[in-house]
Each structure stands twice: as C-alpha cells, then as structure tokens.
Amino acid sequence: VFLFIAVISIHFDFPVGNFTRDPIAILGGNPFIGVLSNIGILFWSATAAICIFASKSYPDKKEFSSFLFFSGLLTSLLLFDDLFQLHEKIDNYLYVHEYTAYVIYFLLVSIYLVKFTKTILSTEYVVLFIACCFLSLSVLADMLLSYFVTQRDIKFLVEDGFKLFGIVTWSVYFIRTAFIHIQK
C-alpha cells in the first residue's frame, strides 16, 4: 500500500499526506462532519469481520459456512462502496453511470439471495428483509427526492437515515445469525 501511495504521489504530483491523513484534518473541517456515515462504516466493518470469522467456525457445515463467507464479502463490497463513494464517483473514472452501479449491485444481491435462499429461510430472514427495504429506500431517496424536496437537509436526513437504519439492521441480522449458529 505504501509503495502504491508513493508511486501515485510521484506520478500525479499528489501530496503523500492526502493519502495518509484523515480527510477532516486535511480539509480543516468540523469533527462532526460525516458522523453518521462513519458510524455506518463501523457497522459495515464489524459485520464483514464477524461474518468472515464465523464462516471459519463451520468446517462441517459447508453451505452455512459459504453463506457467512459470501455475506462477509458482500458486506465488504458495500463497505468499500460506502467508504469511498464508488457508486457516485465511478462515472469519473470508469465512465459508468451511477444508476448502472445500482443495477450491478441489485444483480449481485439478487444472485446472492437466490443462491442462499434455503439458508436464509432457516434464519431470522425478516430482519434481513427489513434491512434490504431500508437500504432500497435510501437508494430511492437518493434518486427521487431531489425532484420532490427542495430543502437539501430534509433530503439528506431521509436518505442517510434510511441508509443507517438499513446498515444497522443488516448488522443485527448477520451478527445474530452468526451468534445463534455458533451457539448451536
């Protein structure tokens, strides 16, 4: 990582500190900037780590182990997208529209849900359904509220509120699922 940073820094004449320092420190911002987003990142991180760790606890239950492992990978993808705003910035670098990124995520989640339907139905799947609803409402709010709400603060409160509820509910589902099955 450090070598990559050095190469990019030299090649693009971009200060090393911009890669290594906290964004708030670089921009001289208020420490409360992005507090809900950062809380969401912590939940994504904990969930991904717990799923991947717990997947190794089931060597004799390959289907459930695979479910937790891929859940950890999917959560990691969502984590990195949220952390680096990939879906919003992808058109700048790969010339892929933000809505295309949403379609790709929808397809990945759909494949995941189809592959693990049987396993999911053996868990407290209603909680996962609620998490998916909240996350979907956040995406819809991002796409549609600009047309109906003129006050940006309300738009952000609704969109980011749904997202945080979705992330926390997603975390509750996977952490409980891993915990219940480890206890068994």
Side-chain angles (χ1 to χ4, degrees):
V1 171
F2 291 111
L3 181 61
F4 176 75
I5 289 171
V7 169
I8 296 296
S9 177
I10 292 167
H11 186 276
F12 291 102
D13 193 30
F14 199 68
V16 170
N18 286 5
F19 289 102
T20 61
R21 297 180 63 224
D22 187 272
I24 300 263
I26 293 169
L27 301 173
N30 184 310
F32 295 112
I33 290 175
V35 71
L36 281 184
S37 179
N38 289 338
I39 290 169
I41 297 301
L42 294 173
F43 274 96
W44 283 132
S45 299
T47 304
I50 288 169
C51 284
I52 292 171
F53 176 79
S55 75
K56 303 303 176 192
S57 302
Y58 302 103
D60 55 330
K61 296 182 180 180
K62 290 194 191 285
E63 178 67 23
F64 198 77
S65 177
S66 181
F67 166 67
L68 284 176
F69 181 75
F70 282 102
S71 298
L73 289 181
L74 177 61
T75 302
S76 296
L77 174 66
L78 297 172
L79 158 68
F80 285 110
D81 179 85
D82 196 11
L83 181 62
F84 297 113
Q85 297 294 294
L86 298 178
H87 68 278
E88 291 186 17
K89 305 295 183 198
I90 197 166
D91 61 337
N92 295 343
Y93 302 102
L94 299 178
Y95 308 107
V96 175
H97 194 276
E98 179 179 359
Y99 294 157
T100 305
Y102 285 142
V103 170
I104 291 169
Y105 286 140
F106 177 78
L107 291 173
L108 285 173
V109 170
S110 296
I111 291 167
Y112 164 84
L113 291 172
V114 168
K115 168 140 180 58
F116 294 110
T117 299
K118 182 178 168 188
T119 305
I120 291 169
L121 290 176
S122 72
T123 66
E124 297 172 344
Y125 60 87
V126 173
V127 180
L128 180 61
F129 175 75
I130 292 169
C132 290
C133 287
F134 278 131
L135 292 169
S136 297
L137 286 170
S138 174
V139 171
L140 287 173
D142 180 36
M143 293 180 353
L144 301 176
L145 277 183
S146 297
Y147 300 109
F148 303 107
V149 178
T150 56
Q151 190 171 2
R152 289 176 46 140
D153 287 344
I154 301 236
K155 177 191 179 295
F156 292 144
L157 189 62
V158 171
E159 176 188 344
D160 295 334
F162 280 142
K163 183 170 91 172
L164 186 61
F165 288 152
I167 294 169
V168 170
T169 310
W170 179 277
S171 294
V172 166
Y173 169 76
F174 283 109
I175 292 168
R176 274 192 55 78
T177 299
F179 181 75
I180 288 168
H181 287 278
I182 286 175
Q183 278 189 323
K184 289 181 182 178

